[in-house]
Amino acid sequence: MRAPGGEAFRETRKIVQSHGLHTVCEEAACPNIGECWDRRHATFMILGEICTRACAFCNVATGKPHALDSEEPERVGRAAGDLGLEHIVITSVDRDDLKDGGARHFAETIAAIRRYAPATTVEVLTPDFRKKEGALETVIAAKPDVFNHNLETVPELYRRIRPGADYRHSLDLLKNVKRRDPAAFTKSGIMVGLGETDEQVFAVMDDMREADIDFLTIGQYLQPTRKHAALERYVTPEAFARYKDLAYEKGFLLVAASPLTRSSFHAGEDFAKLRAAREATLRS
């Protein structure tokens, strides 16, 4: 990837900073930031910049979070309007310290985007809301266009890679989104290169289809620092192409699989493809 720069990149950064917002593009050291910000696309990270969990793959800071910023949803809404976004992705840190895990904050952010950028479609990439009764229902009621929650890796690696999370709980969360709002698009992703086998990846695909997930993303894990989980292998582009072909055979509406695939990379274009794929399925 080329180094970030250019007028559009600087303008995007200026708008993000002027509203006092955080982006996962910066906090997670995403390799695609240059391309995305040049196109005025940014993934906003709400609920602060400090996570209550310490996943072995993630570059976001871990510790004791600050109090919720009640004005943050409004600022995200205004930023969406200022950027003129067709599609926006809202994600967050985990907030196990909050009674609802930050669900109401998500809902308020969606509502603010609807006010300031009514033509913008909204995608949320949420935490698992584990042990947070009613949290999922709060976000679903706000009617995001896409509900994304990443499984991140195969269940056999959860204890090492995603401590504090539960594979089955994450699957059930996505299954319940579709049960409660059949019109919603659901999405999930995993990283490869952490020590998983192809057979384990295929099994995750099957679990996702059983949960009626529409959109699968698969990308290469890149080790952020020496303290993070070690990189076990680089997956070839040919292997990613095989993952993609098999996933389509299993029935996903849309699949993105490549070394640089990330949850919100090309999210706007992918949403248009996702909508078209569902319409084609309904016509057939």
Side-chain angles (χ1 to χ4, degrees), residues 218-260:
I218 308 176
Q220 172 69 53
Y221 169 66
L222 297 174
Q223 186 177 358
T225 71
R226 291 182 179 180
K227 71 178 182 178
H228 288 85
L231 174 69
E232 299 290 338
R233 63 168 176 151
Y234 283 108
V235 178
T236 65
E238 293 76 17
F240 277 108
R242 288 195 297 272
Y243 288 152
K244 187 172 184 177
D245 289 343
L246 181 61
Y248 273 122
E249 289 177 13
K250 290 179 181 292
F252 289 95
L253 283 179
L254 192 65
V255 182
S258 73
L260 285 168

Side-chain angles (χ1 to χ4, degrees), residues 124-137:
V124 294
L125 171 54
T126 74
D128 59 14
F129 298 128
R130 193 177 180 197
K131 300 178 181 178
K132 306 295 182 183
E133 186 175 351
L136 177 62
E137 291 76 10

Side-chain angles (χ1 to χ4, degrees), residues 23-42:
T23 67
V24 75
C25 321
E26 297 167 295
E27 303 296 338
C30 181
N32 300 320
I33 187 172
E35 179 176 342
C36 290
W37 284 28
D38 269 351
R39 301 170 71 183
R40 299 172 71 86
H41 292 172

